[in-house]
Amino acid sequence: MKNGYSTNQSGILYIVATPIGNLEDITQRALNTFESVDLIAAEDTRHSGLLLSHYGIKKPFFALHDHNEQQKVNVLIDKLQKGLSIALISDAGTPLISDPGFHLVRQCREVGIKVVPLPGPCAAITALCSAGIASDRFCFEGFLPAKTKGRCDKLTSLLEESRTMIFYESTHRILDSLADIQKIFGAERYIVMARELTKTWETIYGSTVEKLIDWINEDLNRIRGEIVLVIEGTSILSDRGDISPQATNLLERLSKELPLKKAAIIVAESFGYKKNELYQYGLTHFKE
């Protein structure tokens, strides 16, 4: 790979995963790529500069983040078409996974520029493999909406999701999000919170949503840092045939006179179902 511009061949865009905490998680291939490319497109050039400085690598940076990506894509495409090779990195983990880069990669593929992905750290996968929750089928949902209504609407749309669900969450919203998860999924849904993965204060705690909230409230330091939530998928079968017609009919009638949670308790005691199953059924099937 040559430095500078070439008029004969386009450069290559490398998608490079970087450590999510522990700098020793960088791969040798990533370091070799940083040494060989002409330019590094980074979400936060100051933050990424510390990583490269740690390994004694000096390369020019190009700032590419959520606020400027669509405007700057053509600048980078032009550089690639003129022969420069570029490494795309995010602040931590794998680019494009709840981080910038989608528009650049898509445009590269549309104009025929080679895109080479380098595997490496990803907080979602790191949390999943340590959660002890089924990992054969899972979905990554990124960050939940910031506002309560949007968050509840999103969670409600996932009520019948049988796959393990992975979310990112921030320190200042985690308790609100857990409260909404409890409201929509029920207090007994199993969840794992992974915090500060690969760092000094790494914590991986699994319990029901209700117990997780209590555990956090015992010490609010337990929600400091980067957070990943891994939530067990529903085992609730959602069509009417899976809960007897008598139970669903009574639940529907009672829910018109009582709060759904109270109605679910009564029906559960009468028919032997779990109250959380009936509550989730009601949320999914009954209109307010």
Side-chain angles (χ1 to χ4, degrees):
M1 193 181 304
K2 297 180 180 179
N3 291 326
Y5 289 89
S6 168
T7 57
N8 298 320
Q9 187 176 0
S10 294
I12 298 172
L13 176 68
Y14 294 90
I15 313 300
V16 185
T18 55
I20 58 176
N22 192 322
L23 294 183
E24 293 182 6
D25 291 334
I26 194 76
T27 68
Q28 186 60 54
R29 187 182 176 198
L31 294 176
N32 292 344
T33 299
F34 290 149
E35 291 280 13
S36 64
V37 296
D38 302 288
L39 182 69
I40 296 176
E43 187 178 3
D44 184 330
T45 57
R46 290 173 297 180
H47 178 87
S48 297
L50 296 175
L51 172 66
L52 268 67
S53 177
H54 179 81
Y55 287 101
I57 299 171
K58 295 182 179 180
K59 288 288 174 174
F61 279 104
F62 185 98
L64 189 75
H65 46 74
D66 282 330
H67 302 294
N68 76 350
E69 182 181 357
Q70 294 191 56
Q71 292 74 35
K72 297 295 185 180
V73 161
N74 288 337
V75 176
L76 291 175
I77 292 295
D78 181 65
K79 293 180 183 295
L80 287 160
Q81 288 178 325
K82 290 178 177 177
L84 265 71
S85 286
I86 298 173
L88 173 67
I89 62 176
S90 60
D91 286 351
T94 302
L96 282 79
I97 309 301
S98 283
D99 278 324
F102 164 74
H103 298 288
L104 175 59
V105 172
R106 181 165 184 165
Q107 186 67 16
C108 282
R109 300 195 65 81
E110 287 180 353
V111 300
I113 293 171
K114 187 175 182 180
V115 177
V116 176
L118 277 65
C122 175
I125 300 303
T126 304
L128 176 64
C129 69
S130 62
I133 297 177
S135 57
D136 55 334
R137 297 175 66 248
F138 62 90
C139 58
F140 174 66
E141 295 291 335
F143 285 91
L144 284 165
K147 295 185 178 180
T148 299
K149 185 181 184 306
R151 192 160 54 233
C152 288
D153 287 346
K154 179 63 176 179
L155 291 167
T156 299
S157 75
L158 294 168
L159 256 178
E160 297 184 24
E161 177 56 70
S162 62
R163 295 172 296 179
T164 296
M165 294 166 280
I166 306 172
F167 300 89
Y168 288 161
E169 195 48 275
S170 62
T171 295
H172 66 279
R173 286 206 304 262
I174 182 64
L175 283 172
D176 289 337
S177 290
L178 288 173
D180 289 335
I181 289 169
Q182 178 172 325
K183 174 183 175 183
I184 303 300
F185 288 172
E188 298 302 311
R189 183 69 70 94
Y190 189 77
I191 182 171
V192 170
M193 185 183 79
R195 176 181 75 95
E196 292 291 88
L197 288 168
T198 78
K199 302 175 186 176
T200 302
W201 302 109
E202 175 181 275
T203 306
I204 302 170
Y205 182 87
S207 188
T208 63
V209 181
E210 184 176 43
K211 290 180 180 179
L212 174 58
I213 293 172
D214 290 341
W215 180 77
I216 290 171
N217 283 322
E218 290 172 2
D219 182 0
L220 292 180
N221 286 319
R222 290 169 174 169
I223 55 172
R224 295 179 64 181
E226 304 293 328
I227 296 170
V228 184
L229 298 177
V230 184
I231 304 178
E232 196 166 51
T234 182
S235 59
I236 310 307
L237 301 175
S238 61
D239 60 74
R240 195 176 185 86
D242 302 314
I243 301 175
S244 72
Q246 294 85 353
T248 56
N249 288 338
L250 178 58
L251 181 64
E252 186 171 14
R253 292 201 307 270
L254 289 175
S255 66
K256 293 176 181 178
E257 305 295 334
L258 299 171
L260 180 58
K261 284 186 177 180
K262 180 65 175 176
I265 291 171
I266 295 172
V267 176
E269 291 174 350
S270 301
F271 289 89
Y273 292 106
K274 292 181 179 179
K275 61 180 183 295
N276 189 44
E277 294 180 359
L278 293 166
Y279 177 68
Q280 291 187 22
Y281 182 94
L283 286 175
T284 305
H285 292 79
F286 303 155
K287 295 181 179 178
E288 296 182 356

